[in-house]
Amino acid sequence: QQQVKQSPQSLIVQKGGIPIINCAYENTAFDYFPWYQQFPGKGPALLIAIRPDVSEKKEGRFTISFNKSAKQFSLHIMDSQPGDSATYFCAASKSAGANNLFFGTGTRLTVIP
Amino acid sequence: DAGVIQSPRHEVTEMGQEVTLRCKPISGHNSLFWYRQTMMRGLELLIYFNNNVPIDDSGMPEDRFSAKMPNASFSTLKIQPSEPRDSAVYFCASSFRNSNTGELFFGEGSRLTVL
């Protein structure tokens, strides 16, 4: 059973657009929600992470929005660029140091110039 | 640091053959993870080690899969015998447990094709 559900599976936007990727979870024990970015032929790399004590976190053009009551969180990419084209994974775990990190199935983002 | 190093990067083999994937974690990291990535199921955790000890192998698909970590700088994932449904990209990742960030550092993966 998928612990973290992610949508959409793929996304195509024009340069400058704001792609939004959504994730949902059921386990209320989850306390740490990172996003990983994966370029073709490479392994995933940590992009940004949030804990449920805040509703939003920004790092550059990347923003995580978190809705604890709905058990949902999303990634927004402002002013998207072709270099943002990658696969994005949301994930969740019971703590930042927990070993069992549950990943979503990934969203393949394509930003058209 | 060179990051997590995996080998081989690509492996093509025939059904029934033994496959061994190798991983060198980042020096100083005390946790090591093996993941499998497929289009249908995304990233699946197969097994992880803390201080070279296997902690949870519940993600290992079946007895054909085995993993070892003989020391802090080396791990292997073995599939014997291999089957076409094992075709996937296998990632090794390492981290420093007890870190507040819990960041996983992934290798570049080993793409396995079983014919």
Side-chain angles (χ1 to χ4, degrees), chain B residues 33-51:
Chain B
F33 307 78
W34 282 99
Y35 282 88
R36 178 171 66 178
Q37 183 177 25
T38 60
M39 288 295 293
M40 291 300 295
R41 300 173 70 88
L43 278 165
E44 299 175 277
L45 177 64
L46 300 177
I47 185 172
Y48 70 87
F49 297 81
N50 280 345
N51 297 315

Side-chain angles (χ1 to χ4, degrees), chain A residues 58-96:
Chain A
K58 291 184 180 181
E59 286 189 6
R61 295 183 294 105
F62 299 90
T63 298
I64 301 178
S65 297
F66 189 86
N67 186 330
K68 187 174 181 178
S69 61
K71 292 183 286 186
Q72 296 175 346
F73 57 110
S74 59
L75 178 70
H76 302 230
I77 307 176
M78 308 300 291
D79 187 27
S80 59
Q81 301 296 313
D84 297 328
S85 297
T87 298
Y88 292 83
F89 293 93
C90 61
S93 66
K94 293 182 181 179
S95 70

Side-chain angles (χ1 to χ4, degrees), chain B residues 51-90:
Chain B
N51 297 315
N52 315 337
V53 176
I55 302 301
D56 184 354
D57 65 354
S58 59
M60 297 285 260
E62 45 196 276
D63 292 345
R64 298 184 298 106
F65 285 69
S66 63
K68 294 182 179 180
M69 191 166 185
N71 56 62
S73 60
F74 184 66
S75 178
T76 59
L77 177 67
K78 185 176 293 186
I79 308 172
Q80 166 65 20
S82 58
E83 297 183 3
R85 60 190 168 125
D86 301 331
S87 297
V89 181
Y90 291 81

Side-chain angles (χ1 to χ4, degrees), chain A residues 23-66:
Chain A
C23 288
Y25 64 98
E26 287 298 325
N27 191 339
T28 54
F30 287 152
D31 191 48
Y32 174 68
F33 303 89
W35 286 85
Y36 280 74
Q37 179 187 53
Q38 182 183 30
F39 293 106
K42 302 294 186 182
L46 181 64
L47 180 65
I48 184 173
I50 195 170
R51 288 186 172 82
D53 53 344
V54 296
S55 60
E56 186 176 276
K57 183 174 182 178
K58 291 184 180 181
E59 286 189 6
R61 295 183 294 105
F62 299 90
T63 298
I64 301 178
S65 297
F66 189 86

